[in-house]
């Protein structure tokens, strides 16, 4: 039995998603949405790799190769057998406009297409219920199988022999076979023609979406793959963007740093929409802004949490799924995330900044107006009140609080951007008001986060340790890249946290000891800082090295073992994909060189 790894390829439709392993196995996927019950859970199922999986096995199989259909998340896996027979498996979740709205059902489609010889196929469809507690019970009909998944029943409609699937028997595939695993309702129409139509329409949707992106000249495929994956991390119904599609892939072996990332962090989402904005993907921004407006309404001028459910729910009680052994046996598997109880004051800036764009960008279907400004000022008031107060920080320390420099700078950014918005609306008095507050916060940061003894900024007002978020002071326009204070801080951060071609988020011990792996987005922050301070050739080499660590599907997880190069942490991680997009944009040659 092959040990689970992160050589996985995502498919999805912004309602459901699945991670497909190298041999066409669905090893992770939740219904009815990303934070639901993982009916496909073999990725975290320890030795029970044949449970919680949907696997296509070719008799006598000797190889499997994969690629995506160009500019789509439609995955093609070719399985080849020792006798020369072969077949292609097409995997996708349908997504296209139908009847005046987006059709994105809770459904997965698989097509098996014989390529050569007489392939014999075994279909193992073994979904589980209640976080790996037990295999689903089934009922069946002539052309379908129903999987009773507790509150959620799913129906497989197929033109393959149902009896062979129920009995785990191999059979000869002589023509294309179609599998639609979706809602528990009769499948309307001919399965072959309907599924083929869905495949064509899904392909068309994604290729048209990609055609609208403003991508850099270099690393086009890498940027497109990252952009598609980021869009798959949006729950379109509400506009929420999850940090990753998985839970409890540990940051390092036996580290206990196992967290559920299937929620919407205000911080992570800010970085995601910023990256996609640079590519012109305004559809993601618009939907996310609607989600933010709901969050602001619910807060009613009060505390904004660092994260919410994709439905905007505030309480995300954390518990352990006792029936799942964890990734490579590295438990626990956590469901929910207790970080929702924390205070992280950087969230105020991360609400104001993407929302500020809506006052300036005339491309948007719904531009922000004075009513939105009134609500946004409430967020600014919270930023002003909390800018010098202790919080858990962006790294979400669970056992200590300090006044984190990154959080204070984000509060500064909230007031600074509100001044810009007020000026845009012709409110000169409010522009002055918010500019003065921003300058007051800046004075506080410069007085309390600058260490005269060390000659650089430090990560918190109370201590002199360093973290990689200090490099974001340029991205946030707090400092210019040629500012001597930034150059000194960059030198210190690089000296303290760089490990070869990789970057730690911090080196100091935290709640779980010293970090053991590099944090991929911090490596990209290092790459950007190198470029902005005139070390572009070094930045390019480091960027190419990072791309060498991506999976064959172009994905990255949250963390990386900087000694072995192995990926760890939840997958695919939006932070890390944002780093690919931003670094490519910084480092690419200009289109003017070829046109």
């Amino acid at each position: 039995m092959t040990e689970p790894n992160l050589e996985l390829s995502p498919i999805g439709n912004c309602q459901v998603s699945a991670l497909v392993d190298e041999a066409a196995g669905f090893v992770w996927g939740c219904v009815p949405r990303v934070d639901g019950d993982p009916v496909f859970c073999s990725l975290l199922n320890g030795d029970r790799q044949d449970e919680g999986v949907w696997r296509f096995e070719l008799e006598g199989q000797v190889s499997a190769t994969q690629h995506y259909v160009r500019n789509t998340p439609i995955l093609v896996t070719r399985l080849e057998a020792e006798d020369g027979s072969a077949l292609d498996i097409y995997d996708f979740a349908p997504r296209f406009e139908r009847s005046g709205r987006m059709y994105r059902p809770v459904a997965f489609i698989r097509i098996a297409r014989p390529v050569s010889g007489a392939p014999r196929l075994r279909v193992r469809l073994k979904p589980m219920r209640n976080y790996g507690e037990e295999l689903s019970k089934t009922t069946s009909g002539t052309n379908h199988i129903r999987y009773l998944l507790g509150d959620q029943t799913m129906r497989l409609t197929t033109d393959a022999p149902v009896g062979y699937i129920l009995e785990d028997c191999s059979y000869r595939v002589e023509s294309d076979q179609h599998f639609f695993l979706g809602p528990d309702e009769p499948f309307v129409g001919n399965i072959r023609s309907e599924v083929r139509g869905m495949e064509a329409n899904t392909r068309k949707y994604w290729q048209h979406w990609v055609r609208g992106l403003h991508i850099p000249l270099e690393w086009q495929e890498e940027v497109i793959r990252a952009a598609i994956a980021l869009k798959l991390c949006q729950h379109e119904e509400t506009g929420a963007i999850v940090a990753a599609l998985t839970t409890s892939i540990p940051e390092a072996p036996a580290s206990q740093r196992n967290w559920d990332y299937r929620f919407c962090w205000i911080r992570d989402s800010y970085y995601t929409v910023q990256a996609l904005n640079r590519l012109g993907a305004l559809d993601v921004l618009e939907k996310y802004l609607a989600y933010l407006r709901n969050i602001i309404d619910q807060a009613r001028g009060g505390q904004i949490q660092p994260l919410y459910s994709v439905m905007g729910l505030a309480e995300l009680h954390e518990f352990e799924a006792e029936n799942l052994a964890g990734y490579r046996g590295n438990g626990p598997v956590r469901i929910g995330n207790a970080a929702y109880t924390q205070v992280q004051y950087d969230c105020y800036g991360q609400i104001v900044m993407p929302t500020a764009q809506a006052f300036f960008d005339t491309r948007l279907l719904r531009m922000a107006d004075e009513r939105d400004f009134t609500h946004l000022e409430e967020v600014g008031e919270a930023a002003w009140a909390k800018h010098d107060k202790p919080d858990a920080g962006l790294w979400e320390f669970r056992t200590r609080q300090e006044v984190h420099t990154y959080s204070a700078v984000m509060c500064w950014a909230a007031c600074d951007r509100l001044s810009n918005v007020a000026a845009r609306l012709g409110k000169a008095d409010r522009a002055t008001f918010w500019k003065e507050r921003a300058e007051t916060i800046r004075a506080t940061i410069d007085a309390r986060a600058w260490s005269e003894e060390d000659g650089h900024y430090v990560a918190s007002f109370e201590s002199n340790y360093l973290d990689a978020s200090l490099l974001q002071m340029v991205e946030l326009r707090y400092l210019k890249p040629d500012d001597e204070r930034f150059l000194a801080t960059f030198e210190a951060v690089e000296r303290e946290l760089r490990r070869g071609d990789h970057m730690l988020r911090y080196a100091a011990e935290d709640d779980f000891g010293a970090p053991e792996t590099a944090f991929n987005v911090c490596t990209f922050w290092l790459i950007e800082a190198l470029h902005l301070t005139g070390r572009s050739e070094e930045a390019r080499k480091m960027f190419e090295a990072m791309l060498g660590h991506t999976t064959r599907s172009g994905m990255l997880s949250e963390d990386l073992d900087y000694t072995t190069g192995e990926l760890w942490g939840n997958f695919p991680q939006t932070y890390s994909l944002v780093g690919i997009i931003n670094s490519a944009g910084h480092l690419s040659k200009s289109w003017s060189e070829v046109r």
Side-chain angles (χ1 to χ4, degrees), residues 117-131:
R120 293 186 62 82
L121 181 67
R122 176 181 285 107
V123 180
R124 295 188 185 272
L125 178 48
K126 304 292 182 182
M128 303 193 81
R129 62 179 297 274
N130 195 22
Y131 295 94

Side-chain angles (χ1 to χ4, degrees), residues 253-268:
S255 65
Q256 298 288 303
R257 300 174 188 263
N258 302 14
W259 315 115
D260 192 346
Y261 276 11
R262 300 171 302 155
F263 303 109
C264 183
W265 269 259
I266 302 298
R267 177 189 315 113
D268 299 50

